[in-house]
Amino acid sequence: MSFDSSRSANSKRSFSNSASSNPSNDSTRTKKKRNTNQKTLGVAWGSNSRSSSRSSSRKSAFSGFGSYMVEKNRKLHNQFDNEASASSFGGSSSAKPIFSGVSIFVDGFTIPSSQELRGYMLTYGGRFENYFSRHHVTHIVCSNLSNSKVKNLRAFSAGLPVVKPSWILDSVAAGRLLSWVLYQLDQLASNQPKLSAFFTPKSSKRAGDDFTDALCGVEGDIENSSRAVSQSEETHLTKVDNMVGFGKQTSIESDDILPENINATTFEEPSSADNCCEVELEPVIKDERDMHSELEPSHQGPATSASSHCLDDQNSKGCSSYTAPGPSKQCHSTLVDPNFVENYFKISRLHFIGTWRNRYRKRFPILSTGFNPESSDVNASVISGRKVIIHVDMDCFFVAVVIRNYPELLDKPVAVCHSNNSRGTAEISSANYPARSYGIRAGMFVRDAKALCPDLVIFPYNFEAYEEVADQFYGILHRKCNKVQAVSCDEAFLEVTVAEGEDPELLASSIRKEIFEATRCTASVGIAGNMLMARIATKTAKPNGQYYITPEMVDDHLCQLLISELPGIGYVLREKLKKQNVHTCGELRNISKDSLQKDFGMKTGEMLWNYSRGIDNRLVGVIQESKSIGAEVNWGVRFNDMKECESFLINLCKEVALRLHGSGVQGRTFTLKIKKRKKDAEEPAKYMGCGDCENMSHSVKIPLATDCVDEIQRIAKRLFGLFRIDVKDIRGVGLQVSRLEAADASKQGTEKNFLKSWLASGSTSTRQKSSHSVHANQNLGVTSGQAPRDSDGPSVQMDGSMINDQTSSGQTSIPPPLCHLDVEVIKNLPPEVFSELNEIYGGKLVDFLVKGIGKSESPSPLENLFLEQQEAMNKEQELPFPELNPQSKIPIENKARKHKAKGIAASDSGAGAHDKVPNNSSFEKDDLMPSSLSQVDASVLRQLPEDLKSDILEQLPEHRCQAFCSKTVLTPLKEGHLESSVNTSEHRASSSDPVLNRNDSLWVGNPPCWVHKFKVSNCLILKKLAQVYEKSGVNNSLSFVLSQSMSEFRQLDPALESSDETINVMFELLKQYIIAMIEKDIEEVYICFRLLRRFAAKSQFFLHVYDIALPYLQAAVDDYYGGSLLIPAS
DNA sequence: ATCCTCCCCTAC
DNA sequence: TAAGGTAGGGGAGGAT
Ligand SMILES: Nc1ccn([C@H]2C[C@H](O)[C@@H](COP(=O)(O)OP(=O)(O)OP(=O)(O)O)O2)c(=O)n1
Ligand SMILES: [Mg+2]
Ligand SMILES: [Mg+2]
């Protein structure tokens, strides 16, 4: 049944052949497009929370201030310092100064709020500037912006990095300052306004494109040009087409929280209403042009146009099916696009979800700085209640997000897919439940899906929206519970401890409710005693439900459950078990554990045995540090010659290096994976797919971890050289890095360049010679699987070209062999240069030196040479550059031990024993400590005395601490750490102001007091504000609440709302806000008043409020700054 | 036994 | 046309 074959388990079988021999697609207009020059490779990396169009441009507001700002800034600095020194919430001030030297200015609305970001900076040793100053600010933090804002910001930023808030979050999560490069705002990172590289070109504007453009401008990267279209023509096609214009969809999304304004009455209504909202908000954004074009109805062509997306411009030419001999022109292969790697990762859904998974796994668990003694939840849970696991998963996530504004489609079959071609092999990413009733599943080819259901409506991806919803999703989960383990961007486990009378279902429903209110997408929840059963319960709960499997229900529930429903049982295991006549868990239980372990291995056998009984001992939140980082591409990979292949490889290395850098780690083991078309494999069923392939891999272990792109490229090329393969057979390439270590700040300095030039100038001359011997010996070696045997085919010429390639291209970057180095010179290098050189030599230099010294004071040149050569020979295999030893595959550890045996080494690591190496004081520590938390028993650790515990943890590399930092929440609905801590600092800041200490301070508490009061108010507007605040999750700024409320207010009858009392209440709220914020964040106040002014144009209520609040504001501003604020009329 | 590496399998 | 990535778990089998 499953059509999704061709993937994973078996790339061999393809139920859906019918090869696309004839590309007779519907009239695809190949719009030409501009390539973005985006430097960052993986788009999902580093990109994060979007605030869409809410951000407003602020800078020009302070005309009146002038010189006051200087003094003001000075004052704020002092204040900040005081706070910083007095702070470190959580007591022990063990927070690492991650952001030392970093000083951020937050521009516009962000998620998380500027206050939260401020909290992070404060806690982790950074600075937070309330006002922009070129002298103090080092980074501008900003969410996505409108085009015009980008322009302003570009000038405004004065060349400073403009980064996304996730840079802060991820750095905190990683426990170190990550490179901001990956977090650059997309719009600023390149000349292109967006990386919506796929889909329509912005340059060629038609009416429809304007439409698209506007959206991109507002929201950022939104893929639009294709639109949802039902295959079933005519009948409701027009209808659907009308209402599913992508512009509407995305524009609404930028407004995001507007639950009930979607009345399904007509197709025009909701969209036009939303557009109005957008337009209203727009002036603050200052980008008129973009907006009104959006208002134009999208009279887009029907179905055919859905396929107009196209990645690169060149490829519009002929698309002959496959590699005919000669200059074959594949459409979207590596053949055509020199930036294939880069572009590919902007579009690949699997890349996105893979990357997001990682992000959410890492981001949150560490918000509190340490280990609060009272958080010994282990004991607490034993005493006060039972542990319950809650599994939350969004319903048909990708579909749900993109059809939020099309309630008419809720009961129609809808799927998300790159293509709407009903004969195409694009994969369905997600299908909603109506579609599933036709048998449509994720991973299916769209043609098969259409065959099952011709009426299927296809939407394109909206990765930004997924990201935004996922952020909201996790924001909510982390507020509800502080023991959260992310599974993917739409799915997580929570662990809670439930006291006697409590009902976890209440927590579950409150979570679901909040998720829906914040995202307008439904989530389902499974509850049970362990992760296994909770996840199984979710399946029952779906869609949009929840289900609690109590311990008594477990047996019954499992008994007739199909084994393929068990997580961990996929195609292969299911088939194997089927052969044993096992289909249900009940049947599985009849097999003894011994038998299972014999058939499937120890662990797998036990897993099967346990799972069939509902047993699962995994713990929530014990995810350890990441073990590997890699990148691979197995689609569209076609090479004609070595040059193309190498260029691809180089780009892949860049990508990997970037990811290493982005994660602040370096690696010691590099594995190159190649997919090679199988001997008699027919053309893949999937267009540009890899088809039936043989997987091959080679790996190399280097003694000293690296993240240097040049070095990685050298390594990769060398590894590639081990494959004897005709490049024309290559269908996929991947590079993986493992044995990760935290990048040492000391060694990623800029001195590297210095050394590089030294190397390049100094000693390249002798190199050539030795590289000859490399080829002579070159063969296999390292650790190779089937390498020597595979295909030994007649790839002679190409083989040679590779080798040549290596030697020639490596010329500048490959250092001379050790044996050509002069010991004395090396010895006398400045320490940092030595260290760097040593790194380039993969740590070998140290051995070289140690050996020489150990042998004799001044070895004779001859002796020296001998030793060196021997050394070189012994070590070749583990190093990236030296020749490979054909027969002996001596792992690096061997060698280390050998050294040790000679009494030279003290350390066990391959880099070994180098007391001489400068700046590696961390070495010994690292080596004495467990290399990773995975080797530490968490429960043991938790029970240690507090001081001992922190001692241990301090010894561990920072990025390994995460697993231990989560805590159990004793009762549901407690606030998370982040929020309380941020709030604390805020209170401290404002408590100096006597006015706020009044009993009825509206901004005290979390959520602030006013939320409670307003919630029960008779005034709809006040009530709305409270609701929006609650929905908005982590954000607690008034401007955010106001901007979010804007669309809501449209529905209220303006006349009804003005009672004197409510006006006064609102005024009081503003007044207190002004008092609290005027010093700290005048811009925030400014934004609020701009929004108010806009409201005032529509609403009597707000007009009154504005009228009385504005004088107050100006008085306060005058008081503080001696000027006045100019609040422009939108 | 315990450690490698080279895979395969699984999930999203 | 179409974007089949990513990372961890674990088994087989070889080297210690
Ligand atoms: N083969 C797959 C599986 C998933 N996804 C993406 C799209 C999904 O929306 C998202 C989440 O995966 P889920 O397994 O949670 O599936 P859905 O959320 O779509 O549906 P469900 O309601 O079953 O959770 O991941 C994908 O692109 N390709
Ligand atoms: Mg889901
Ligand atoms: Mg999921």
Side-chain angles (χ1 to χ4, degrees):
Chain A
M1 166 62 66
S2 65
F3 289 77
D4 57 355
S5 64
S6 75
R7 176 89 183 120
S8 76
N10 43 350
S11 49
K12 32 208 101 178
R13 61 185 100 45
S14 56
F15 301 128
S16 48
N17 37 5
S18 88
S20 54
S21 44
N22 215 345
S24 65
N25 49 7
D26 31 24
S27 58
T28 304
R29 329 181 252 311
T30 36
K31 310 187 175 187
K32 83 165 81 149
K33 74 149 352 126
R34 308 181 303 189
N35 265 334
T36 70
N37 297 327
Q38 198 80 23
K39 267 161 300 233
T40 97
L41 299 174
V43 166
W45 279 65
S47 63
N48 185 34
S49 43
R50 302 266 127 56
S51 66
S52 68
S53 59
R54 282 169 238 116
S55 57
S56 54
S57 97
R58 330 172 121 190
K59 67 171 188 100
S60 58
F62 310 98
S63 42
F65 288 77
S67 60
Y68 288 92
M69 300 314 285
V70 177
E71 178 59 15
K72 175 94 184 104
N73 274 323
R74 197 189 49 74
K75 210 165 126 193
L76 290 175
H77 271 252
N78 294 338
Q79 173 196 332
F80 185 90
D81 288 340
N82 291 338
E83 284 180 33
S85 57
S87 81
S88 75
F89 56 84
S92 60
S93 84
S94 54
K96 294 217 143 209
I98 298 171
F99 298 114
S100 143
V102 174
S103 187
I104 64 165
F105 170 74
V106 176
D107 185 84
F109 169 79
T110 55
I111 299 175
S113 70
S114 65
Q115 285 310 305
E116 283 171 279
L117 293 173
R118 182 172 178 277
Y120 283 111
M121 297 308 287
L122 192 122
T123 305
Y124 294 99
R127 288 191 152 276
F128 181 95
E129 304 288 338
N130 283 285
Y131 307 109
F132 180 74
S133 149
R134 277 153 223 250
H135 304 301
H136 297 118
V137 172
T138 62
H139 298 74
I140 295 168
V141 177
C142 189
S143 291
N144 275 1
L145 315 146
S146 69
N147 281 337
S148 62
K149 173 104 187 237
V150 170
K151 232 184 268 168
N152 287 337
L153 196 52
R154 205 177 265 132
F156 172 53
S157 63
L160 289 174
V162 180
V163 300
K164 301 175 196 177
S166 45
W167 177 56
I168 310 278
L169 297 179
D170 290 350
S171 291
V172 169
R176 78 176 61 79
L177 188 65
L178 303 177
S179 162
W180 54 268
V181 173
L182 287 169
Y183 296 87
Q184 257 182 304
L185 260 200
D186 301 329
Q187 298 98 322
L188 294 171
S190 72
N191 290 332
Q192 301 306 119
K194 282 322 307 172
L195 33 100
S196 64
F198 40 122
F199 306 127
T200 5
K202 313 229 167 80
S203 42
S204 64
K205 287 204 181 195
R206 290 305 91 220
D209 288 325
D210 272 338
F211 182 49
T212 297
D213 243 335
L215 295 164
C216 289
V218 172
E219 171 85 13
D221 169 36
I222 300 168
E223 73 290 34
N224 289 318
S225 65
S226 71
R227 57 203 141 273
V229 175
S230 163
Q231 166 86 351
S232 94
E233 321 298 333
E234 277 49 69
T235 63
H236 75 298
L237 175 64
T238 47
K239 193 164 103 182
V240 170
D241 195 34
N242 278 342
M243 61 193 187
V244 179
F246 274 21
K248 296 168 197 165
Q249 167 209 341
T250 47
S251 77
I252 292 170
E253 257 149 31
S254 56
D255 260 339
D256 72 295
I257 300 171
L258 5 137
E260 58 249 325
N261 86 359
I262 316 165
N263 44 358
T265 55
T266 77
F267 302 126
E268 291 301 330
E269 221 77 344
S271 55
S272 62
D274 286 315
N275 282 334
C276 285
C277 297
E278 195 63 29
V279 167
E280 288 203 328
L281 196 50
E282 183 279 319
V284 171
I285 299 163
K286 280 171 144 176
D287 208 358
E288 232 96 22
R289 232 176 13 82
D290 287 342
M291 298 330 292
H292 70 38
S293 61
E294 185 182 330
L295 280 174
E296 304 192 1
S298 67
H299 33 59
Q300 328 199 336
T304 63
S305 63
S307 51
S308 55
H309 31 284
C310 213
L311 182 55
D312 44 68
D313 29 5
Q314 306 103 311
N315 62 12
S316 42
K317 13 197 170 174
C319 299
S320 61
S321 305
Y322 10 67
T323 43
S328 67
K329 299 210 170 179
Q330 296 277 343
C331 271
H332 293 87
S333 70
T334 52
L335 290 178
V336 205
D337 185 356
N339 278 330
F340 186 82
V341 173
E342 189 178 325
N343 289 329
Y344 183 76
F345 288 128
K346 293 175 188 166
I347 301 175
S348 162
R349 79 184 199 279
L350 292 174
H351 164 73
F352 275 98
I353 64 179
T355 308
W356 287 337
R357 183 234 269 128
N358 230 10
R359 165 192 307 176
Y360 293 114
R361 231 181 48 177
K362 290 199 283 200
R363 172 163 300 173
F364 287 101
I366 201 173
L367 290 180
S368 75
T369 58
F371 298 75
N372 301 337
E374 94 285 351
S375 82
S376 51
D377 25 80
V378 179
N379 299 332
S381 68
V382 170
I383 294 168
S384 70
R386 64 190 196 285
K387 188 186 76 174
V388 171
I389 308 298
I390 293 182
H391 177 249
V392 193
D393 188 304
M394 303 292 289
D395 300 321
C396 47
F397 186 51
F398 279 18
V399 171
V401 169
V402 295
I403 66 169
R404 279 184 288 183
N405 302 298
Y406 303 97
E408 321 81 43
L409 294 179
L410 278 176
D411 56 352
K412 306 269 189 309
V414 182
V416 166
C417 183
H418 274 306
S419 156
N420 193 27
N421 180 349
S422 46
R423 288 186 298 173
T425 58
E427 278 170 38
I428 301 293
S429 174
S430 178
N432 69 354
Y433 282 80
R436 286 182 208 191
S437 70
Y438 291 86
I440 294 169
R441 298 287 181 274
M444 250 182 194
F445 289 164
V446 64
R447 69 171 175 224
D448 299 324
K450 290 274 192 172
L452 290 170
C453 171
D455 284 341
L456 182 66
V457 176
I458 300 289
F459 268 76
Y461 296 85
N462 186 348
F463 292 113
E464 293 222 346
Y466 305 143
E467 211 173 346
E468 185 174 343
V469 171
D471 275 345
Q472 292 173 303
F473 175 75
Y474 276 101
I476 290 166
L477 296 188
H478 282 279
R479 262 187 302 118
K480 293 291 189 180
C481 175
N482 58 9
K483 202 156 189 179
V484 177
Q485 179 179 326
V487 177
S488 74
C489 61
D490 88 325
E491 186 176 344
F493 287 101
L494 316 183
E495 180 181 319
V496 295
T497 301
V498 182
E500 210 37 54
E502 289 175 328
D503 184 359
E505 295 233 36
L506 293 180
L507 174 60
S509 50
S510 87
I511 289 174
R512 292 204 296 127
K513 179 166 169 286
E514 273 198 43
I515 289 174
F516 180 73
E517 285 171 353
T519 68
R520 289 182 291 131
C521 297
T522 61
S524 296
V525 168
I527 310 166
N530 62 39
M531 295 168 78
L532 168 70
M533 294 313 296
R535 173 171 270 170
I536 289 173
T538 304
K539 292 186 196 236
T540 305
K542 274 179 178 296
N544 192 17
Q546 61 190 60
Y547 191 65
Y548 186 6
I549 301 184
T550 61
E552 310 81 60
M553 299 161 64
V554 168
D555 272 4
D556 280 347
H557 192 97
L558 285 178
C559 194
Q560 56 233 51
L561 190 74
L562 290 177
I563 49 142
S564 49
E565 297 281 282
L566 295 176
I569 298 190
Y571 178 84
V572 172
L573 274 181
R574 183 179 73 235
E575 293 305 304
K576 282 185 185 169
L577 285 164
K578 195 185 284 176
K579 289 206 179 93
Q580 301 193 27
N581 226 4
V582 172
H583 305 93
T584 67
C585 290
E587 290 163 351
L588 183 52
R589 283 188 212 165
N590 293 327
I591 303 185
S592 72
K593 192 191 282 196
D594 276 353
S595 168
L596 289 171
Q597 288 182 319
K598 188 165 59 66
D599 290 343
F600 301 100
M602 291 299 293
K603 299 281 198 93
T604 309
E606 174 158 38
M607 182 266 283
L608 291 172
W609 194 89
N610 281 340
Y611 280 17
S612 69
R613 289 162 176 77
I615 299 169
D616 177 12
N617 298 315
R618 290 172 300 167
L619 295 174
V620 173
V622 289
I623 289 182
Q624 17 180 296
E625 79 281 9
S626 71
K627 295 174 174 167
S628 69
I629 283 181
E632 65 188 282
V633 180
N634 299 307
W635 187 91
V637 176
R638 301 291 188 276
F639 301 120
N640 272 330
D641 56 39
M642 194 51 227
K643 210 178 75 225
E644 292 171 350
C645 182
E646 181 175 306
S647 146
F648 183 89
L649 196 58
I650 284 174
N651 285 328
L652 195 67
C653 289
K654 285 182 194 162
E655 175 71 32
V656 169
L658 219 43
R659 294 182 189 184
L660 288 174
H661 200 222
S663 296
V665 294
Q666 302 175 324
R668 286 190 52 200
T669 297
F670 293 78
T671 306
L672 185 66
K673 298 193 286 185
I674 299 283
K675 274 185 183 295
K676 180 191 170 224
R677 187 182 69 91
K678 267 195 183 153
K679 196 74 174 123
D680 302 315
E682 65 279 22
E683 193 61 13
K686 182 173 179 57
Y687 170 73
M688 278 293 117
C690 59
D692 193 3
C693 282
E694 184 182 344
N695 299 311
M696 308 183 292
S697 79
H698 287 299
S699 68
V700 65
K701 184 158 63 175
I702 60 173
L704 203 58
T706 188
D707 60 358
C708 161
V709 64
D710 292 330
E711 191 171 352
I712 293 172
Q713 283 172 2
R714 261 180 284 135
I715 293 170
K717 283 187 207 168
R718 170 156 295 275
L719 285 170
F720 186 88
L722 299 176
F723 296 97
R724 298 165 142 258
I725 183 176
D726 185 341
V727 290
K728 294 197 174 69
D729 285 336
I730 295 178
R731 291 290 177 271
V733 184
L735 180 63
Q736 206 200 15
V737 187
S738 49
R739 276 177 161 258
L740 300 180
E741 300 170 359
D744 206 333
S746 60
K747 69 180 180 186
Q748 47 191 3
T750 50
E751 303 96 19
K752 239 169 201 165
N753 298 329
F754 167 57
L755 181 66
K756 221 147 260 162
S757 51
W758 177 80
L759 275 175
S761 64
S763 39
T764 29
S765 56
T766 51
R767 223 202 89 267
Q768 220 95 6
K769 187 168 47 169
S770 86
S771 59
H772 272 302
S773 68
V774 169
H775 309 314
N777 288 342
Q778 166 140 15
N779 231 341
L780 35 112
V782 195
T783 47
S784 71
Q786 67 292 36
R789 271 169 294 285
D790 63 42
S791 99
D792 48 303
S795 48
V796 189
Q797 115 270 40
M798 157 300 298
D799 219 16
S801 84
M802 183 50 174
I803 288 171
N804 285 338
D805 237 316
Q806 278 176 243
T807 56
S808 62
S809 72
Q811 187 143 4
T812 52
S813 55
I814 293 184
L818 269 181
C819 57
H820 291 271
L821 297 179
D822 184 327
V823 194
E824 290 308 312
V825 171
I826 299 295
K827 255 198 296 198
N828 292 323
L829 287 174
E832 63 276 10
V833 175
F834 176 89
S835 167
E836 199 181 324
L837 183 59
N838 183 52
E839 187 186 344
I840 288 187
Y841 274 97
K844 200 167 132 190
L845 197 56
V846 172
D847 289 336
F848 170 48
L849 208 56
V850 165
K851 238 182 170 170
I853 293 168
K855 263 301 196 209
S856 71
E857 282 306 299
S858 53
S860 74
L862 199 61
E863 209 176 333
N864 218 359
L865 183 59
F866 173 75
L867 284 174
E868 287 152 12
Q869 282 174 337
Q870 196 172 41
E871 176 91 10
M873 264 178 59
N874 283 343
K875 298 205 142 195
E876 297 305 0
Q877 322 88 23
E878 55 188 86
L879 293 172
F881 25 83
E883 61 241 68
L884 304 164
N885 188 327
Q887 57 263 77
S888 72
K889 309 195 282 179
I890 308 178
I892 178 65
E893 297 301 348
N894 286 353
K895 219 148 311 177
R897 270 176 221 135
K898 273 185 203 161
H899 285 303
K900 216 175 183 172
K902 287 183 202 159
I904 298 169
S907 152
D908 194 22
S909 88
H914 337 312
D915 324 356
K916 325 214 86 140
V917 184
N919 85 20
N920 64 352
S921 57
S922 61
F923 248 157
E924 296 125 28
K925 244 189 218 167
D926 273 3
D927 287 341
L928 291 176
M929 295 303 295
S931 66
S932 83
L933 281 183
S934 59
Q935 298 169 26
V936 182
D937 185 330
S939 56
V940 171
L941 186 67
R942 284 207 192 88
Q943 287 165 11
L944 290 175
E946 203 56 28
D947 48 347
L948 201 53
K949 206 158 61 181
S950 55
D951 273 353
I952 291 178
L953 286 158
E954 261 170 34
Q955 307 286 328
L956 288 167
E958 301 90 319
H959 85 290
R960 308 180 192 243
C961 292
Q962 300 166 13
F964 291 92
C965 295
S966 56
K967 304 182 310 177
T968 313
V969 147
L970 294 185
T971 39
L973 300 173
K974 268 279 172 220
E975 295 296 344
H977 256 253
L978 166 63
E979 234 173 65
S980 29
S981 23
V982 168
N983 251 19
T984 331
S985 68
E986 182 163 352
H987 289 165
R988 188 182 306 115
S990 47
S991 63
S992 62
D993 194 313
V995 182
L996 253 195
N997 287 336
R998 299 182 327 175
N999 285 337
D1000 60 344
S1001 289
L1002 291 170
W1003 286 95
V1004 165
N1006 189 10
C1009 177
W1010 68 265
V1011 175
H1012 302 298
K1013 297 194 173 183
F1014 285 20
K1015 210 158 45 176
V1016 296
S1017 161
N1018 290 329
C1019 170
L1020 286 181
I1021 291 180
L1022 298 188
K1023 201 182 268 188
K1024 249 331 173 216
L1025 287 173
Q1027 287 170 3
V1028 170
Y1029 184 96
E1030 287 191 325
K1031 267 187 299 191
S1032 68
V1034 292
N1035 207 292
N1036 50 13
S1037 79
L1038 181 58
S1039 65
F1040 177 67
V1041 174
L1042 289 175
S1043 66
Q1044 289 301 286
S1045 310
M1046 170 160 285
S1047 53
E1048 314 269 352
F1049 291 151
R1050 302 189 45 69
Q1051 306 176 330
L1052 305 174
D1053 181 346
L1056 290 179
E1057 297 296 326
S1058 349
S1059 83
D1060 282 351
E1061 196 209 323
T1062 52
I1063 290 170
N1064 275 334
V1065 171
M1066 189 67 203
F1067 172 51
E1068 185 64 30
L1069 180 75
L1070 288 166
K1071 202 168 86 182
Q1072 293 187 22
Y1073 199 63
I1074 291 168
I1075 292 168
M1077 302 296 288
I1078 187 148
E1079 180 172 6
K1080 253 187 337 185
D1081 193 354
I1082 183 71
E1083 294 186 36
E1084 160 64 16
V1085 178
Y1086 166 73
I1087 295 205
C1088 290
F1089 272 80
R1090 281 198 73 168
L1091 288 166
L1092 280 176
R1093 176 156 184 178
R1094 303 235 330 260
F1095 290 179
K1098 302 265 175 194
S1099 147
Q1100 281 295 110
F1101 171 80
F1102 279 111
L1103 183 58
H1104 290 312
V1105 171
Y1106 184 78
D1107 280 344
I1108 52 175
L1110 184 63
Y1112 187 89
L1113 169 72
Q1114 299 297 14
V1117 169
D1118 188 53
D1119 200 22
Y1120 260 96
Y1121 305 106
S1124 69
L1125 264 188
L1126 176 64
I1127 311 286
S1130 290

